[in-house]
Amino acid sequence: MHLTIREALSIYPLTEAKLVAGKQGDSRIVKSVNVMDAPDIADWTKSGEMLFTTAFAMKDSPQETVNLLRKLNDRGAAGLGIKLGRFWSELPQIVADEADRLHFPIIEMPFQFTFSDQMNALFNAEYRRNTQLLQSVLEKQKKLLQFGLKQDNMLSMFQLISDILGYPMAVVGARGQILYNTSAWSPDQLSQNWPWKRKSGWVYAGKERAYRVGLHQQDDEPLGHLLIIPDAVLLANVEEGLFQQAADILTFHMCYTFRSHVEASAQRDLQNNLIRYLDKGTSLEEFLEQAEARGLSIFTGAYQCVISKNKSEKLAEEQPQAKLKNLKQYIESHPKSSSLSGHHFVFKDMMFSIYSTNQADGFPEVELSQVLTKYASDSGCIEEAGEMAFYTSSMKLKPTALREAYMECLETHRMASKLGLTDRVLHFETIEFAHLFQNVSSTMMEDYCAKILRPLLEKDAEYSQEMIRTLEVFIRNDGQVSEAAKQLFIHRNTVTYRLEKISDLLQVDFKKVNDLLKLKAVFLFRQFLHVR
């Protein structure tokens, strides 16, 4: 049942009832009806339930009725129908006031009708409405079948047409390929005398014959032919007309479904060509020629590459291709994507993207970073593909650097996993030093760190830890005092004071690139040592 209180009161004999309180709640939905014969009925009341009562269970205490209304309202009840005249001659004012406050409908039920009369009336009205709705839906389904709405699966579409016609049939593509065949004809029989003329009519294979109808679009581009193999010697004109109608429906569908299948196949071929190039199995020129044949300009200027992967290993193992395809669709339709030219390719467990620009002043690297950060934090993206992380290459100027950019993305992901980095967007520049020094021995790293940090490490442990932490955050943020202060939750003057002390202790000058590089290496080594 799915009636509003207002609709229920329009059904006889409830037309004789009166809404005496809580009138502002007349849009509440009635999902079921029950009779109340116990004061603790609220404990079992379901959301959307309408209760009928004679007021026997609450006749002695209007205040208890007020408490009951509150409970029923909290449980999501639709309303309360009270038959006055036997235990209550009228609705107590405090009950009416509370119902008005809660917008909880109270209906004065007609005394001359039983509860079962009124309940049956509601159920019958709902049954009639559902029946009318079902008839309407069935009528729409007939129309959908008659006009042949677009289907995603060509085979199911062919099967539907075959079932309707009631004869074996075959569909042959424009290049002579067999798309569907339920007849006993072999591929050689079906392609005999190919290519066929456009005109519809009978074709023969030995003693057997088939009625052939061309499948042509409005622009006259051929999609193929439909062949029906009837068991009758003669065909009525109406049946030939029916075959033509079937061909028209197939043509309509194939304009969409066949092209989408061809498009998907071409995309897979292009993607496989890209994978072969990245694996050094083919040339870049071959990939670019195939892309240009499809009207795609992969490189319009400087570019960056991005690998997108699911941060959750569990989610990554569960249908990764489906989740990545959802991500691809989400990113392509995202408003932020309009400012960037991106081409996206879904591999086995990742999505590889190429973002390029034709702007004269170079590639908007900051803009790409901002867009990826938006994707990474967007709830819509998480809903479509899970918690994603993005690993970018450095800027590239020539198409020949595509494989190098791809390897940088992979290395960024690998080093992020190795070092336990949790950034949702990570750039190759961030881990470039880690990439260079990853093969340095642990002993050399320990000796170097001890040598540079010894003056600090010899201080009080608490003081030493606090100063090293300040220096680490300062170096990680490329020497930005304000950003370091924000992450340390202290005033920037405090950071400046600590850095002056550190500079004196370690004999380093933060304005010298050489000293900054030494400290960068120190904290990178400490991170490596922690992981090892």
Side-chain angles (χ1 to χ4, degrees):
M1 187 178 297
H2 201 271
L3 300 166
T4 64
I5 293 289
R6 191 183 312 112
E7 290 171 336
L9 290 174
S10 67
I11 298 168
Y12 184 84
L14 281 172
T15 51
E16 305 298 316
K18 296 179 183 177
L19 185 57
V20 294
K23 296 180 180 179
Q24 289 183 317
D26 65 348
S27 60
R28 291 195 182 208
I29 301 298
V30 180
K31 298 179 182 178
S32 60
V33 182
N34 201 356
V35 176
M36 189 183 84
D37 57 2
D40 57 349
I41 187 68
D43 296 335
W44 292 276
T45 301
K46 300 186 293 292
S47 176
E49 194 166 54
M50 177 77 177
L51 296 175
F52 290 168
T53 180
T54 60
F56 172 76
M58 51 192 181
K59 59 185 175 59
D60 299 322
S61 177
Q63 184 56 49
E64 283 299 314
T65 306
V66 168
N67 296 335
L68 174 64
L69 289 186
R70 293 169 182 166
K71 289 182 181 180
L72 292 175
N73 186 64
D74 291 340
R75 298 280 294 186
L80 185 64
I82 302 178
K83 184 176 286 192
L84 299 178
R86 186 173 181 185
F87 300 105
W88 274 353
S89 58
E90 60 181 9
L91 188 68
Q93 189 60 45
I94 62 169
V95 175
D97 291 343
E98 183 64 10
D100 288 336
R101 187 185 71 81
L102 297 172
H103 300 166
F104 187 85
I106 294 182
I107 301 169
E108 181 181 341
M109 309 294 289
F111 192 85
Q112 65 271 32
F113 297 102
T114 65
F115 287 158
S116 60
D117 290 336
Q118 294 158 89
M119 292 168 71
N120 286 336
L122 291 176
F123 292 139
N124 288 335
E126 183 69 2
Y127 175 79
R128 286 193 299 273
R129 192 172 77 159
N130 284 340
T131 301
Q132 291 171 355
L133 179 62
L134 180 59
Q135 289 173 341
S136 173
V137 169
L138 288 174
E139 197 64 28
K140 290 179 181 179
Q141 287 179 331
K142 284 173 61 179
K143 290 179 180 179
L144 291 178
L145 288 174
Q146 289 166 353
F147 290 98
L149 281 184
K150 175 180 177 290
Q151 300 189 17
D152 293 329
N153 188 319
M154 282 201 301
L155 289 178
S156 66
M157 176 181 64
F158 295 150
Q159 183 64 54
L160 175 63
I161 296 294
S162 179
D163 291 344
I164 292 173
L165 296 179
Y167 296 126
M169 73 173 222
V171 180
V172 182
R175 294 188 297 274
Q177 69 275 36
I178 310 302
L179 302 178
Y180 181 79
N181 184 20
T182 59
S183 74
W185 285 33
S186 67
D188 288 340
Q189 288 177 300
L190 289 173
S191 58
Q192 186 173 313
N193 298 322
W194 185 268
W196 294 323
K197 297 178 181 179
R198 177 173 177 173
K199 185 178 178 181
S200 301
W202 292 100
V203 293
Y204 294 86
K207 294 182 179 181
E208 298 179 328
R209 66 176 187 165
Y211 193 84
R212 177 181 52 78
V213 188
L215 306 174
H216 292 267
Q217 303 177 60
Q218 289 183 352
D219 57 7
D220 215 34
E221 181 183 346
L223 293 174
H225 287 81
L226 168 66
L227 292 95
I228 301 107
I229 297 88
D231 54 8
V233 177
L234 296 174
L235 284 179
N237 289 337
V238 67
E239 280 202 280
E240 291 185 10
L242 179 64
F243 296 160
Q244 185 61 58
Q245 287 178 341
D248 291 342
I249 291 174
L250 281 178
T251 301
F252 173 79
H253 282 300
M254 290 172 70
C255 286
Y256 295 96
T257 56
F258 188 69
R259 282 181 174 177
S260 67
H261 281 275
V262 170
E263 176 67 20
S265 177
Q267 175 67 16
R268 284 194 299 272
D269 289 344
L270 180 64
Q271 184 168 291
N272 290 336
N273 218 336
L274 173 61
I275 293 173
R276 285 195 294 271
Y277 159 71
L278 295 175
D279 290 339
K280 299 184 178 180
T282 187
S283 67
L284 177 63
E285 288 72 21
E286 187 175 335
F287 166 68
L288 293 179
E289 286 174 7
Q290 189 177 7
E292 288 173 7
R294 294 190 57 213
L296 301 177
S297 297
I298 303 295
F299 302 105
T300 57
Y303 65 95
Q304 266 185 287
C305 295
V306 181
I307 277 178
S308 311
K309 288 180 71 74
N310 207 306
K311 286 177 68 66
S312 168
E313 293 297 329
K314 182 179 180 182
L315 283 175
E317 292 173 1
E318 298 173 357
Q319 299 179 324
Q321 286 265 317
K323 294 182 184 298
L324 290 168
K325 286 177 182 176
N326 287 341
L327 174 67
K328 179 177 182 288
Q329 184 178 11
Y330 174 81
I331 287 179
E332 288 175 340
S333 62
H334 197 285
K336 284 285 185 183
S337 301
S338 60
S339 60
L340 296 170
S341 173
H343 298 276
H344 312 281
F345 304 89
V346 175
F347 294 174
K348 182 179 179 181
D349 61 347
M350 69 179 73
M351 185 173 76
F352 180 58
S353 304
I354 305 170
Y355 289 95
S356 60
T357 182
N358 54 10
Q359 295 183 19
D361 55 351
F363 189 82
E365 184 176 5
V366 175
E367 185 177 1
L368 175 61
S369 182
Q370 290 173 345
V371 168
L372 293 177
T373 302
K374 173 65 177 172
Y375 294 154
S377 60
D378 199 319
S379 60
C381 175
I382 294 172
E383 180 181 343
E384 291 295 326
E387 192 176 7
M388 301 302 298
F390 303 91
Y391 306 96
T392 81
S393 71
S394 57
M395 194 85 63
K396 304 298 177 186
L397 299 177
K398 296 182 178 180
T400 51
L402 178 60
R403 185 183 289 116
E404 179 183 307
Y406 173 68
M407 298 307 295
E408 286 180 0
C409 293
L410 289 179
E411 182 63 10
T412 304
H413 171 253
R414 189 184 73 81
M415 293 303 297
S417 301
K418 183 175 181 178
L419 299 176
L421 303 178
T422 59
D423 306 59
R424 298 289 299 279
V425 180
L426 197 63
H427 304 285
F428 178 70
E429 291 86 346
T430 307
I431 59 92
E432 197 164 7
F433 272 101
H435 172 68
L436 290 173
F437 294 133
Q438 60 183 316
N439 294 320
V440 177
S441 69
S442 298
T443 303
M444 290 183 66
M445 290 183 186
E446 290 172 354
D447 291 344
Y448 190 78
C449 292
K451 173 186 172 183
I452 301 297
L453 298 179
R454 182 173 292 116
L456 260 179
L457 296 172
E458 290 174 348
K459 295 291 183 181
D460 175 74
E462 185 176 345
Y463 175 84
S464 172
Q465 185 177 359
E466 185 178 77
M467 299 299 265
I468 288 176
R469 171 63 177 159
T470 301
L471 180 58
E472 180 181 15
V473 174
F474 173 72
I475 294 297
R476 189 199 308 150
N477 286 282
D478 300 322
Q480 297 181 45
V481 175
S482 297
E483 191 61 33
K486 187 188 301 183
Q487 293 185 19
L488 291 166
F489 302 102
I490 57 178
H491 196 277
R492 73 185 313 277
N493 291 344
T494 305
V495 175
T496 303
Y497 172 77
R498 290 180 183 177
L499 291 174
E500 290 173 355
K501 291 294 184 183
I502 292 170
S503 177
D504 292 338
L505 277 169
L506 302 185
Q507 293 298 297
V508 294
D509 185 347
F510 295 119
K511 295 180 181 179
K512 291 184 177 180
V513 174
N514 189 55
D515 287 353
L516 288 173
L517 284 175
K518 286 195 297 185
L519 293 171
K520 180 82 173 177
V522 164
F523 289 107
L524 177 62
F525 289 164
R526 284 168 63 89
Q527 196 168 12
F528 270 125
L529 291 169
H530 174 73
V531 172
R532 291 179 182 180

